[in-house]
Amino acid sequence: MTADLRVDLSGKTVLITGAGRGLGLAYARAFAASGAAVAVNDINADASERAVDEIARTGARAVAVTGDIADEAAVALMAAAVRTALGPVDILVNNAALYAGLGRKRFDAIPVAEWRRLIDVNVTGSYLCARAVLPHMLERRWGRIVNVSSSTVPLGRPGFTHYVTSKAAILGMTRAMAREIGGENITVNAVMPGLTETEGSAGTDEAIWSVVTRGQCIPRREQPQDVVGAVLFLASDAAAFITGQTILVDGGSAHL
């Protein structure tokens, strides 16, 4: 699939968390193709540097800002580094999350330490990143925050209660933030991707893929590019009067 999903984001700076691979990298490539300067965050330094090298070869401006988004001090340093290298952040895509590698277990078997770490990254990390870049947006009374939730929320996917809980919290945070800063010409929206074919889903059993695709109106595996269009739209001026909303991008799952 080679659909041209570009919008004109020339002169804008975007910070994308968890962008070293998978969906985050797909977002980074799309924003760069749309003219934005791209700050690539990932907890893995090699991944973020590889992503930036790839983007830079296209002629786009890009910088790697490695760090743990659950660490308040690290996030503050990250935001400052982006501002120094590329300018104030106009667009934030809160994509980073823990999910791949989690073992399926009933909620009463989830270790408390695992629960806390996942909430710290998936919820608190998104909050910290939004808080860190908000002053940049307030200065110019323009900004876009796109939070990445998950289709596991309406599904209530069993075996991953901590992940589902964290992604449900993202929806509430999106609504509350939107109401608080809408008057400053800053929008806050969310996307909910379905099961997407990336490095993180490489170990997914064929039987699960079969169940998922059979239950969709569009019966094929979801690809990163399928989500990119929604994120670019919410980050653009075309969505200037849309805030506090959630777009479910899952091929029309009949299981919801």
Side-chain angles (χ1 to χ4, degrees):
M1 184 173 59
T2 58
D4 187 347
L5 300 172
R6 287 175 294 179
V7 298
D8 186 7
L9 294 172
S10 301
K12 303 298 185 186
T13 295
V14 59
L15 168 60
I16 307 170
T17 64
R21 64 176 199 157
L23 275 173
L25 179 55
Y27 301 148
R29 289 168 176 155
F31 274 97
S34 297
V38 182
V40 174
N41 161 262
D42 203 279
I43 198 168
N44 183 307
D46 290 340
S48 56
E49 291 291 351
R50 282 195 302 270
V52 165
D53 288 344
E54 176 191 329
I55 292 167
R57 286 196 296 273
T58 70
R61 297 171 64 210
V63 64
V65 281
T66 304
D68 182 354
I69 62 167
D71 183 323
E72 182 178 0
V75 171
L77 289 173
M78 182 172 70
V82 176
R83 182 164 192 153
T84 298
L86 301 176
V89 173
D90 301 291
I91 303 160
L92 169 66
V93 180
N94 270 321
N95 169 72
L98 294 179
Y99 182 54
L102 293 175
R104 180 187 291 270
K105 54 183 77 73
R106 203 172 68 181
F107 73 88
D108 56 330
I110 297 173
V112 173
E114 181 177 308
W115 177 282
R116 286 177 173 158
R117 175 60 180 163
L118 192 140
I119 297 297
D120 279 349
V121 173
N122 295 10
V123 182
T124 307
S126 294
Y127 157 73
L128 289 174
C129 289
R131 190 179 71 169
V133 303
L134 183 61
H136 306 174
M137 298 177 178
L138 291 173
E139 285 175 1
R140 292 176 296 174
R141 298 195 76 252
W142 196 99
R144 302 284 185 268
I145 297 173
V146 182
N147 296 320
V148 180
S149 180
S150 167
S151 68
T152 62
V153 174
L155 284 170
R157 188 180 181 194
F160 298 93
T161 298
H162 46 356
Y163 180 78
V164 176
T165 299
S166 72
K167 290 303 187 178
I170 289 294
L171 299 181
M173 184 170 68
T174 296
R175 294 285 292 176
M177 286 182 173
R179 295 190 69 83
E180 290 186 347
I181 57 179
E184 302 294 338
N185 198 35
I186 301 167
T187 66
V188 188
N189 291 288
V191 294
M192 298 174 69
L195 179 62
T196 307
E197 195 168 37
T198 68
E199 300 97 319
S201 63
T204 302
D205 190 274
E206 287 295 324
I208 294 176
W209 277 114
S210 180
V211 170
V212 169
T213 55
R214 284 202 313 268
Q216 295 170 180
C217 299
I218 304 172
R220 63 165 173 80
R221 294 188 183 188
E222 184 164 353
Q223 301 299 313
Q225 283 298 105
D226 293 322
V227 193
V228 164
V231 174
L232 286 177
F233 168 67
L234 292 174
S236 73
D237 280 332
F241 203 59
I242 298 174
T243 195
Q245 304 304 307
T246 300
I247 299 179
L248 182 58
V249 187
D250 70 342
S253 175
H255 297 294
L256 302 182

